[in-house]
Amino acid sequence: MQKHYYFPQGGHPPQTDLLTDRAVFTEAYAVIPKGVMRDIVTSYLPFWTNTRLWVLSRPLSGFAETFSQYIMEVGPSGGSDRPETDPRAEGVLFVVDGEFRLTIGGRSHLMQPGGYAYIPPGTEWSLHNEGDTATRFHWIRKAYEKVDGLPVPEPIVTNEREITPSPMPGTDGRWATTRFVDPSDMRHDMHVTIVTFEPGGVIPFMETHVMEHGLYVLEGKAVYRLNTDWVEVEAGDYMWLRAFCPQACYAGGPGKFRYLLYKDVNRHMTLGGPGRFA
């Protein structure tokens, strides 16, 4: 079955539009709605050609500190032979539109919508759009936390079409997660998954936990509980949560509600001086 993924449309609203929108940044969470992702808020990166990006999150002291997340837009003949300049950074790519050629450690892969790639730190890779239309993908980056006695994970390239979602216990499949990495593999210190709710599906309790989150809505709509607020979200919206921000949701229908989820996992809490968390 063909999957559908929302991606930014760019451009600018007309002068006749109202200013009011749903963007909010609080001490516990942020919501960046799709209407915010306009041409004027794009960024650029060194060593990338014919490429722009929307930065959805970046480490902020006192907020979410473990990761950054971009939506990349690479035009025809665009790309990079030196995409990552930080040797500590691991990355995940998830394709939402178009296609590109990804080369990791000398192996070439044609990446299409639904495509997922995990790129370990210090890995040589390149990315090129060989087509005649733009391609768009999420790029999630994290400084890998090495553990003595655990090797660094190998690269992973797959597509969500090749993975059977795992239903949450007791939900009759109304709430399921597409996992690209084995949760018991302690080499991995972050997970990027796709969470799917059938219409009317619900997270039936207020999740309150140590993981930081980035949630990009790929499809559908829902009412999401963030800290003390109920917030309406739809395809193209992004939610950014600090650790221990309470969260829950009701999927609104009429179709599936699906989002790309980042969380940090499988590591001790970093200890520092008095009052220091990370």
Side-chain angles (χ1 to χ4, degrees):
M1 181 178 177
Q2 181 66 36
K3 302 291 186 183
H4 299 281
Y5 312 100
Y6 190 92
F7 55 85
Q9 310 299 311
H12 291 296
Q15 293 287 296
T16 52
D17 272 12
L18 292 176
L19 178 62
T20 305
D21 206 332
R22 297 173 292 117
V24 62
F25 197 108
T26 75
E27 75 284 350
Y29 72 88
V31 176
I32 304 175
K34 64 182 182 182
V36 171
M37 298 177 209
R38 301 293 185 169
D39 292 354
I40 200 171
V41 297
T42 54
S43 298
Y44 301 90
L45 293 174
F47 311 116
W48 284 80
T49 60
N50 199 18
T51 298
R52 65 177 184 172
L53 62 147
W54 287 270
V55 177
L56 299 179
S57 59
R58 57 174 291 178
L60 290 178
S61 180
F63 191 68
E65 303 186 354
T66 63
F67 75 109
S68 66
Q69 184 163 347
Y70 312 149
I71 300 178
M72 305 288 291
E73 183 180 86
V74 181
S77 302
S80 179
D81 288 317
R82 188 184 171 189
E84 178 59 77
T85 56
D86 188 340
R88 305 169 304 158
E90 60 187 331
V92 163
L93 311 181
F94 182 78
V95 189
V96 292
D97 182 51
E99 62 182 38
F100 57 83
R101 180 71 57 183
L102 174 67
T103 303
I104 306 179
R107 295 190 62 182
S108 178
H109 309 270
L110 181 62
M111 303 294 292
Q112 297 177 320
Y116 167 100
Y118 170 76
I119 304 170
T123 300
E124 187 174 312
W125 61 285
S126 64
L127 186 154
H128 294 280
N129 179 359
E130 300 170 340
D132 55 8
T133 59
T135 181
R136 299 168 182 89
F137 58 94
H138 288 259
W139 183 7
I140 298 171
R141 303 168 63 248
K142 181 183 184 297
Y144 183 68
E145 298 177 59
K146 292 184 178 179
V147 175
D148 224 10
L150 288 178
V152 174
E154 298 91 4
I156 300 170
V157 178
T158 185
N159 192 292
E160 77 148 314
R161 295 191 301 267
E162 301 170 9
I163 300 171
T164 301
S166 302
M168 297 295 284
T171 66
D172 295 323
R174 294 187 180 92
W175 174 13
T177 302
T178 302
R179 295 187 172 96
F180 300 98
V181 170
D182 182 349
S184 66
D185 187 343
M186 291 295 108
R187 298 175 302 166
H188 287 274
D189 66 351
M190 73 168 179
H191 288 165
V192 176
T193 62
I194 296 175
V195 179
T196 301
F197 288 92
E198 297 296 331
V202 59
I203 297 177
F205 68 104
M206 293 296 292
E207 291 189 38
T208 309
H209 53 61
V210 70
M211 284 90 83
E212 297 178 345
H213 277 343
L215 300 88
Y216 182 87
V217 183
L218 297 168
E219 180 182 351
K221 59 186 174 68
V223 182
Y224 224 93
R225 177 68 178 262
L226 299 169
N227 198 18
T228 60
D229 307 317
W230 285 103
V231 179
E232 286 187 292
V233 292
E234 64 178 347
D237 293 347
Y238 182 72
M239 293 169 278
W240 184 15
L241 282 61
R242 68 180 300 172
F244 299 108
C245 176
Q247 59 187 281
C249 87
Y250 283 101
K256 297 177 187 290
F257 175 62
R258 311 180 76 231
Y259 55 82
L260 187 70
L261 171 69
Y262 162 87
K263 59 183 176 182
D264 51 320
V265 296
N266 298 341
R267 293 295 185 266
H268 278 295
M269 303 301 100
T270 302
L271 304 178
R276 185 181 176 198
F277 175 70

